[in-house]
Amino acid sequence: MKHSSAFLIIDLQNDFCPGGSLAVPHGNEIVPVVNRCLELFAEKKIPVIASRDWHPARSSHFREFGGIWPPHCIQVTHGAKFHPSLHLPSNAVIVSKGMDPERNDYSAFRAMDARGMDLEQILEEKGINHLYVAGLATDYCVKESVLDALRLGFAVTVISDAVMGVELQEGDSQRATKEMTATGAKMRSSHDLGV
Ligand code: VGL
């Protein structure tokens, strides 16, 4: 089957980068890699979709309200903004998730665009059957998004130097990578994509 691809950038937001409230160590270091990928994909006319965590101030996802995480990516705050050096094209589709205070969503497939269309519907509408994936964090939102994508029948290529993990436990990213590849995802360095 011929691949019709999109580039999915997961949660590359200030709060997940050093200085943010739930920082992925060195999370910012993937930004230049993602930007190089964006240039390549622009040349190839591959559409870009960027997910973001978009939480209300009170969310059961946060420690204070029964969850495991410090408050992060609260709607309209600086922490919820995309990293300032990320060169998102103006036609990138933004999908938001985590708005329901009672849910603990990680996957970008729980996210929706401004029209209320979820990621699967958006990809279907664009005739996409393959995703290149980058972003944060390898061991949470990247992993859950990739596993959902595979479950839904999409082919997935994770750009290995364009993802980074939280590593609450040492080895989490490696375990996440194993699980993703065992489920059918391909891992490719950005250099193998020619960027
Ligand atoms: C994430 C932890 C909590 C992520 C989101 O984007 O990977 N991690 N919320």
Side-chain angles (χ1 to χ4, degrees):
M1 187 174 51
K2 194 179 172 307
H3 272 175
S4 178
S5 302
F7 183 28
L8 175 63
I9 305 170
I10 298 177
D11 302 2
L12 200 30
Q13 293 164 276
N14 287 324
D15 270 342
F16 293 127
C17 292
S21 63
L22 181 45
V24 172
H26 308 284
N28 56 318
E29 291 173 16
I30 68 169
V31 175
V33 184
V34 173
N35 283 339
R36 280 192 280 118
C37 294
L38 280 167
E39 280 175 32
L40 174 82
F41 292 141
E43 274 167 32
K44 299 194 168 175
K45 306 233 178 317
I46 287 176
V48 177
I49 300 167
S51 74
R52 63 180 181 184
D53 248 7
W54 197 242
H55 294 300
R58 296 175 67 95
S59 167
S60 59
H61 193 57
F62 299 159
R63 261 178 218 141
E64 201 187 334
F65 308 105
I68 61 167
W69 303 108
H72 59 274
C73 301
I74 294 172
Q75 292 164 14
V76 203
T77 62
H78 172 77
K81 288 204 166 114
F82 291 114
H83 190 284
S85 304
L86 177 65
H87 298 155
L88 271 187
S90 56
N91 62 353
V93 175
I94 312 290
V95 291
S96 307
K97 63 191 166 77
M99 290 84 83
D100 184 338
E102 303 304 328
R103 294 180 62 123
N104 212 5
D105 289 334
Y106 293 102
S107 168
F109 283 89
R110 311 290 335 183
M112 55 181 113
D113 68 8
R115 300 170 296 170
M117 302 259 284
D118 68 28
L119 180 57
E120 187 185 8
Q121 291 172 317
I122 296 165
L123 296 173
E124 222 162 71
E125 186 183 51
K126 293 181 182 294
I128 304 294
N129 59 12
H130 169 248
L131 293 173
Y132 289 104
V133 175
L136 304 171
T138 313
D139 35 2
Y140 287 92
C141 290
V142 170
K143 179 181 89 170
E144 294 304 328
S145 304
V146 166
L147 295 179
D148 270 353
L150 294 166
R151 226 175 272 134
L152 291 167
F154 295 94
V156 178
T157 303
V158 177
I159 305 174
S160 54
D161 49 340
V163 294
M164 198 83 80
V166 184
E167 294 271 316
L168 285 190
Q169 313 272 346
E170 205 185 314
D172 278 355
S173 297
Q174 208 181 355
R175 279 187 285 277
T177 299
K178 264 197 180 157
E179 195 176 339
M180 291 188 282
T181 50
T183 312
K186 289 201 165 70
M187 302 292 293
R188 288 276 179 283
S189 144
S190 64
H191 303 286
D192 297 334
L193 303 174
V195 294

